[in-house]
Structure formats: C-alpha cells, structure tokens
Amino acid sequence: MALLLRRLKDCTSFGSTEGDLIPTTPRVTTSAGDEPVATVIDGKSIAEEIRSGIAEEVCRMKDTIGKVPGLAVILVGQRKDSQSYVRNKIKACQEVGITSLMAELPEDCEEDEVLSAVSSFNDNPSVHGILVQLPLPQHMDEERILNVVSLDKDVDGFHPLNMGNLAMRGREPLFVPCTPKGCIELLLRYGVEIMGKKAVVIGRSNIVGMPTSLLLQRHHATVSTVHAFTRNPKEITREADIVVSAIGVANIVRGDWLKPGAVVLDVGINPVEDLSSEYGYRIIGDVCFEEAVQVASAITPVPGGVGPMTIAMLLSNTLDSSKRAYGFS
Amino acid sequence: MALLLRRLKDCTSFGSTEGDLIPTTPRVTTSAGDEPVATVIDGKSIAEEIRSGIAEEVCRMKDTIGKVPGLAVILVGQRKDSQSYVRNKIKACQEVGITSLMAELPEDCEEDEVLSAVSSFNDNPSVHGILVQLPLPQHMDEERILNVVSLDKDVDGFHPLNMGNLAMRGREPLFVPCTPKGCIELLLRYGVEIMGKKAVVIGRSNIVGMPTSLLLQRHHATVSTVHAFTRNPKEITREADIVVSAIGVANIVRGDWLKPGAVVLDVGINPVEDLSSEYGYRIIGDVCFEEAVQVASAITPVPGGVGPMTIAMLLSNTLDSSKRAYGFS
C-alpha cells in the first residue's frame, strides 16, 4: 500500500487495508439527542488481553521445555508502510517473548535471494512462523515465493492449501489468516451470535475479504460478498446483521448502508491528509464512523479496532505453530 | 446417497444431489394463459455437443501423438447409486474414446487397499484422471484417501489445494470441480451475464455448493450462500438473478422463492416414489419445476439439465489433464 494521501471532506475518500499504522485514540461521537449510540468495540484492549495470555504461555513453554516460539520476517525493499508494519510485528513479538528473526533484502534483489531466505527459515527448527511482507516488488512472482513457505510455518495462512481447508467443511486449516481470525475473535468476545445471522463482507481480497467470508460461513452465518462489480452494495449491506468492510475505500460505508443494530467491523486502513496531525495525515476506516455509530449496535474504530487484533492473531498463530512443532500443549 | 424413496405430494419432498441417475424426458409445463414460461435449458443437448467436441479432440490426439486420455475410477462397496454413476462415467468415456480403468473393492476392504489402488493409478502414466467414487464406506477416512490422489490427476478438483486456488484471486486451479463447472458452462452457453449479477447458491457442500459459490464469484457475481442455518432462505433467494440449488431437498425452491426473470440451475437429484415408472421411482430436483417455469426466465430440468453437464465436464477435465501430461495442445 503506498501512503497515497488525499484531501477529503468528512466521510468521502479512498485508501487501502492492513494492520494499524499509527495507533491513536479514535474519536467517539456521543449522541446529542436520544439516538442510540453503538458500543465501540475495543480491539486494542482485547488484543492486549490476548497478547498477555500469549506472553504467559510463552513463559510456561520456556519454563517447561526451555524453548520459545520464533517468527521470521522477510522484508524486500524500502516501502515506508511495510517497514512500519514489520517494525510493529517485531516489537509485538519481543513484548510476548517470541524470538524474531528478520531478513531485509534490497528492492532490486533477485527473486532467488528471496526464495533462499524463505528456504533457510524453512530449515531453521527454531523458526515456527515465516512472514513475507507484502506487497513484493513488481518484478517478483509473489505466488511462487509464497508457495515455498513451509506449510507448517505459514502463520499468515495465505497458502492455497490452507485456504482450501478453510473453505471445505470437515477440514481444518493449519492456520487461519490473521485479520479474519481477529474479526471473528472480536465477535465472539463481544458475544455477537454468528450462526444464522446474515453477514456481508465488503471486499474479496485473498488476505482479508475472501477468507473472512469463508470463516463467517464456517461459523454458519449466511454470507454475501460485495465487491467492485456489485451493483447495489448499499442495499445488500443494509440487510446484514454483521458487516465486515475490507475494501480500502475511506468512508465508503455510510450510516444509511447499515441496518439499525448491525455489528460493524471496519478493516479499512486509509491514510488521509490531516495537517493538524504530527505526521501530516491520519488513518480512517472504510466506514463513516460518525454516522455508523448512530445506527449500529457495535462498531470497531479505526485505529484501535481490528488492526491490533491482526498482530495478536499473528502471535497466536506463531505460538500454536511452535506448540505443534515441540508437541507442547 | 442412499436411494431413499419417500412418498410426496407435488412440490414437497426430500432427497440429495449427484449426476443424473435415470435419463428421462422432463415434463415441461406450458402456460395456460399469457404468463411467461421460462426457457428450458437443455443440458442434455449441450453436454452432447461438448462430448462430441471432446471425441474429436481425442481423435486428433490419437492421430497426432498416438495417445488417448485415460480415466481411472475407484469404486468401494456395492451402493446401487454409486455403481450406476460409475457405469455412466465409464460409458461416457468409451463414447468419446477415453480409456477407462476401474478398481472395484469390497465394502469391507481395508483403507490401505484403497490407498494402494490410488497410488498405482498415480504411478500409471496412461492414467490422467482418478476418481474415487463417494461416499466411501463409513470406516474409511475420506480425507486421507482423497489427499493421496495426485494433484495433476485430481479431475474431480476436490483436493483442498485446488479449492484454495479456486477461492484465491490471481490463482488458477488445475481442475474446476465438474458440477460447478457445468453450471457456469450452461450460463455461458445460454448467454446469461454473470458479472455484477446477484447469485444465490443454496447448499454449501464441498463438491457442489461451495465451489459453485467460489466459481460464480470468480465470474464477478455478487454471491450469497444459503444453507441449513439460513433463517429466511426464501427472501434471500427471491433477490437473486441467478439461483443454483444444490441442497438435495426435493421441491424446496417454490415459485414464490424466485424473482421474476431469474435464471435457475437445479442441481438436486432427488428420488421419489413413482409406481407408474418402470423403476418404481423417478428423479426430481430441488426446484418445483412446474411453479418455477412460470416465474423464471430460464431453468434447467431434472433430469436433463445440470446432470449430463457434470459428466461432460469430467471428460473435459480428463482431456485437459492428458493434454498437459503429453504437452499436446
């Protein structure tokens, strides 16, 4: 994602999706009149709770078998956003006692150098998770590189075999992709019933939208996937009990896109110009928060909603992977 | 699928789904008044056309490189319906010049015997497609057996890696499962636009419903999947431009489940008692044909709709696989 900044009026703009870039406190609108105001789902606190549980488990593992989980990250090139995501992931590892290893390669390196970095992490028994930070430079075959990541270290869950097992009933993927897993975790922890509910997922990317649809369906929601070719996204979204937006268009989901009482998870991470901010920009979601909070029963803010959960789930997947590798339970 | 027969009044009953069992001519209702009557999609003719094209390709392959495609079928046990399906598949192979091999194993054989049959077909260079007829006997681990089928011979497309590649944008599965592929082929050949249309798939089985949803989404439809936990299937289905029913419940989709002008593909194959028939039963679909034909713009009959397409697509996948194996184009 390029940090493409655009001027915007409130509740109209464009952007893209990933883990939170700049953690700041969301602005929660309070109602002026008697209108209902949604519960703001505190992803940051829940993610902290989860991370603290992971830290305890890592301690227990270290005390019991003298081992800790290890996560390896491969970063190619100098994209500021990618560097920031990677930094956040490594910092999060350190905080819970997961060892992190990093391979940094220049933008113009050969594909074979990336492949060889992956292979070396595949062969390293103290590495239990391997992340290739996306996007890779244009000249590289992303599919070829991701296919080389050992299946039992694919903590991102992006391997097609993992996706297939996520799609198929009666099968279990080794890893569930982090952002979708984080979304479901938020719903479960806030006691939102999924089974039998109508869910709309806006966006169908391989890393968020599509696996979120599959995962909601595994939880027996009736899922509709809305995307760029959908003719009446507003009408379809307005029927949903649960809305997950992961399309990377700032403020596209307005208040009148929502059924009163809907639960809204906003995966969008869209940088918009804000000269009053220290960085000259701020991050907003796909959902027009000020409007949605008046209609929804619960909503995630951006930042501080789904974003922190993504990293917590990455740590959780890495811990699970190391437990599998060491036969530790 | 057991050939479980139930008495039923018109447009109410239960059953299950697979390829056509008994090819008979469907009863097409003609309108008494000015009501619109749907085009009946002639899957049988289209499948014949496709099979005839395949036969020509097999001839050309034989003339050019002296090879023909080969399909191996593994049948475990004595289920009448499975035997019938397998017989139809083998007959279809013979008609287009595809060599068929068959391994028949007794109901009480060991799982290892099935695995060894699969392995031997995996190693046989004249076999380009391997079918394990489902369901397998209860005591067998279906997942374990299907996982052994060589990926490049998985003409059913049931391997999770194939499913994952079907789900992911920018990826190509080696094989698309036959019934979903047949459904799309019918839509394309009848000039039904898919992109941007609202599609509802009723059922989410690994072999039909789920991959059909994924495939419709690959063609840029806005897809909703309806299943046993869906609370208002009628209302959801009534919004669809394209309805694919693969839930195996006879006549569950009534006329008032359909939007006027919808295109309806009926994958259901439900045996119901019919003492006037030679076999004592007849096959009906998931859709109440007599009602639906008055509402839809186009509809597949049962039998003679999607069923024949399934076998045609199996032959097509086997041909494609052999072309890949021999580098023949």
Side-chain angles (χ1 to χ4, degrees):
Chain A
M1 181 190 69
L3 271 183
L4 189 60
L5 305 185
R6 290 185 180 80
R7 288 167 194 278
L8 86 161
K9 293 184 189 161
D10 264 1
C11 289
T12 38
S13 189
F14 297 88
S16 52
T17 64
E18 239 267 9
D20 274 358
L21 201 60
I22 308 172
T24 61
T25 314
R27 297 172 307 159
V28 180
T29 309
T30 47
S31 177
D34 290 328
E35 294 165 54
V37 173
T39 300
V40 177
I41 296 177
D42 189 350
K44 208 172 156 194
S45 293
I46 294 184
E48 261 164 37
E49 253 176 58
I50 292 171
R51 289 209 306 268
S52 142
I54 291 170
E56 281 172 29
E57 278 295 280
V58 171
C59 267
R60 190 171 69 85
M61 185 185 240
K62 192 173 182 180
D63 291 348
T64 318
I65 59 168
K67 306 275 190 190
V68 294
L71 178 71
V73 183
I74 296 166
L75 174 63
V76 186
Q78 306 267 315
R79 288 176 67 112
K80 287 269 176 299
D81 54 345
S82 290
Q83 287 175 332
S84 169
Y85 296 141
V86 166
R87 222 168 24 238
N88 284 347
K89 287 166 187 170
I90 286 176
K91 187 164 156 270
C93 280
Q94 287 166 345
E95 284 170 6
V96 298
I98 292 178
T99 302
S100 56
L101 293 85
M102 188 160 162
E104 274 191 274
L105 295 161
E107 177 81 22
D108 60 354
C109 74
E110 298 291 321
E111 196 170 303
D112 280 351
E113 294 176 66
V114 184
L115 289 172
S116 117
V118 173
S119 296
S120 124
F121 288 137
N122 278 343
D123 295 341
N124 184 339
S126 66
V127 169
H128 309 102
I130 300 172
L131 277 192
V132 181
Q133 183 65 39
L134 301 179
L136 288 164
Q138 287 280 334
H139 66 284
M140 291 192 182
D141 183 344
E142 185 180 299
E143 178 174 342
R144 185 168 165 237
I145 291 168
L146 290 182
N147 277 351
V148 174
V149 174
S150 172
L151 264 175
D152 51 9
K153 300 186 179 185
D154 174 36
V155 284
D156 261 339
F158 292 164
H159 194 285
L161 188 65
N162 253 323
M163 290 292 183
N165 282 323
L166 185 67
M168 293 173 85
R169 299 188 75 189
R171 301 262 182 161
E172 288 299 331
L174 276 177
F175 301 102
V176 174
C178 302
T179 303
K181 190 176 174 181
C183 287
I184 298 294
E185 196 64 32
L186 286 178
L187 295 176
L188 297 177
R189 292 199 178 219
Y190 269 79
V192 176
E193 200 189 347
I194 306 173
M195 184 187 283
K197 291 300 175 78
K198 194 155 184 204
V200 163
V201 177
I202 306 174
R204 51 172 172 166
S205 69
N206 287 342
I207 60 175
V208 184
M210 183 271 290
T212 302
S213 292
L214 295 178
L215 198 53
L216 283 165
Q217 190 166 293
R218 270 182 104 87
H219 282 79
H220 308 302
T222 301
V223 182
S224 304
T225 307
V226 162
H227 49 74
F229 293 98
T230 299
R231 289 195 187 147
N232 46 352
K234 179 162 107 173
E235 285 67 31
I236 292 172
T237 306
R238 199 156 48 195
E239 288 166 7
D241 305 302
I242 298 166
V243 175
V244 181
S245 187
I247 200 150
V249 179
N251 286 331
I252 193 173
V253 179
R254 307 289 300 259
D256 63 356
W257 282 45
L258 301 172
K259 178 161 99 173
V263 174
V264 182
L265 304 182
D266 188 351
V267 185
I269 301 286
N270 309 296
V272 293
E273 193 175 67
D274 180 359
L275 296 179
S276 70
S277 141
E278 185 185 348
Y279 301 91
Y281 68 97
R282 64 189 168 95
I283 297 298
I284 63 171
D286 289 353
V287 179
C288 178
F289 188 84
E290 292 76 5
E291 291 180 9
V293 80
Q294 301 293 332
V295 184
S297 64
I299 181 170
T300 59
V302 175
V306 175
M309 292 298 287
T310 298
I311 291 187
M313 293 301 114
L314 173 65
L315 302 176
S316 161
N317 279 353
T318 306
L319 172 64
D320 289 349
S321 178
S322 69
K323 284 184 170 180
R324 251 196 307 262
Y326 295 129
F328 180 75
S329 58
Chain B
M1 181 191 70
L3 271 182
L4 188 61
L5 305 185
R6 290 186 179 81
R7 287 165 195 280
L8 85 161
K9 293 183 187 164
D10 265 359
C11 289
T12 37
S13 188
F14 297 87
S16 52
T17 65
E18 239 267 12
D20 274 355
L21 201 61
I22 309 170
T24 62
T25 314
R27 296 173 306 159
V28 180
T29 308
T30 48
S31 176
D34 290 330
E35 295 165 56
V37 173
T39 301
V40 177
I41 296 177
D42 190 351
K44 207 172 157 192
S45 293
I46 293 184
E48 261 165 36
E49 253 176 58
I50 292 171
R51 289 209 307 268
S52 143
I54 291 170
E56 280 172 30
E57 278 294 279
V58 172
C59 267
R60 190 173 67 87
M61 186 185 238
K62 192 173 182 180
D63 291 348
T64 317
I65 59 168
K67 306 277 189 190
V68 294
L71 178 72
V73 184
I74 296 166
L75 175 63
V76 185
Q78 305 266 315
R79 289 175 67 112
K80 287 270 176 300
D81 53 345
S82 289
Q83 287 176 331
S84 169
Y85 295 141
V86 166
R87 222 167 25 237
N88 285 347
K89 288 166 187 171
I90 286 176
K91 188 164 156 272
C93 281
Q94 287 166 345
E95 284 170 6
V96 298
I98 291 178
T99 303
S100 56
L101 294 85
M102 187 158 162
E104 274 190 273
L105 294 161
E107 177 80 22
D108 59 355
C109 75
E110 298 291 322
E111 197 170 303
D112 280 351
E113 294 176 67
V114 184
L115 289 172
S116 117
V118 173
S119 296
S120 124
F121 288 137
N122 279 343
D123 295 340
N124 185 339
S126 65
V127 168
H128 309 103
I130 300 172
L131 276 192
V132 181
Q133 183 65 40
L134 301 179
L136 288 165
Q138 287 280 334
H139 68 283
M140 291 191 182
D141 183 345
E142 188 180 296
E143 178 174 341
R144 184 167 166 239
I145 291 168
L146 291 182
N147 276 351
V148 174
V149 174
S150 172
L151 265 175
D152 52 9
K153 299 186 179 186
D154 175 36
V155 284
D156 262 338
F158 292 164
H159 194 286
L161 187 65
N162 253 323
M163 290 293 183
N165 282 322
L166 186 66
M168 293 173 85
R169 298 188 76 191
R171 302 263 183 161
E172 288 299 329
L174 276 177
F175 301 102
V176 174
C178 302
T179 302
K181 190 176 174 181
C183 287
I184 299 292
E185 195 64 32
L186 286 178
L187 295 176
L188 297 177
R189 293 202 177 218
Y190 270 79
V192 177
E193 201 190 346
I194 306 173
M195 184 187 283
K197 291 301 176 77
K198 192 154 185 206
V200 163
V201 177
I202 306 174
R204 51 171 173 168
S205 69
N206 287 342
I207 61 175
V208 183
M210 183 272 290
T212 302
S213 292
L214 295 177
L215 199 53
L216 283 165
Q217 190 165 294
R218 271 182 102 87
H219 282 80
H220 308 302
T222 301
V223 183
S224 304
T225 307
V226 161
H227 49 74
F229 293 97
T230 298
R231 289 195 188 146
N232 47 352
K234 180 162 107 174
E235 285 67 32
I236 292 172
T237 307
R238 200 156 49 195
E239 287 167 7
D241 305 303
I242 298 167
V243 175
V244 181
S245 186
I247 200 151
V249 179
N251 286 330
I252 192 173
V253 179
R254 307 290 299 259
D256 62 357
W257 282 45
L258 300 172
K259 177 161 99 171
V263 174
V264 182
L265 303 182
D266 188 351
V267 185
I269 301 286
N270 309 296
V272 293
E273 194 175 67
D274 181 359
L275 297 178
S276 70
S277 141
E278 186 185 346
Y279 301 90
Y281 68 96
R282 64 190 168 94
I283 297 297
I284 63 171
D286 289 353
V287 179
C288 178
F289 188 85
E290 291 76 5
E291 290 180 8
V293 80
Q294 301 293 331
V295 185
S297 64
I299 182 170
T300 59
V302 175
V306 175
M309 292 298 287
T310 298
I311 292 187
M313 293 301 114
L314 173 66
L315 302 176
S316 161
N317 279 353
T318 306
L319 172 64
D320 289 348
S321 178
S322 69
K323 284 183 170 180
R324 251 196 306 261
Y326 295 129
F328 180 76
S329 58

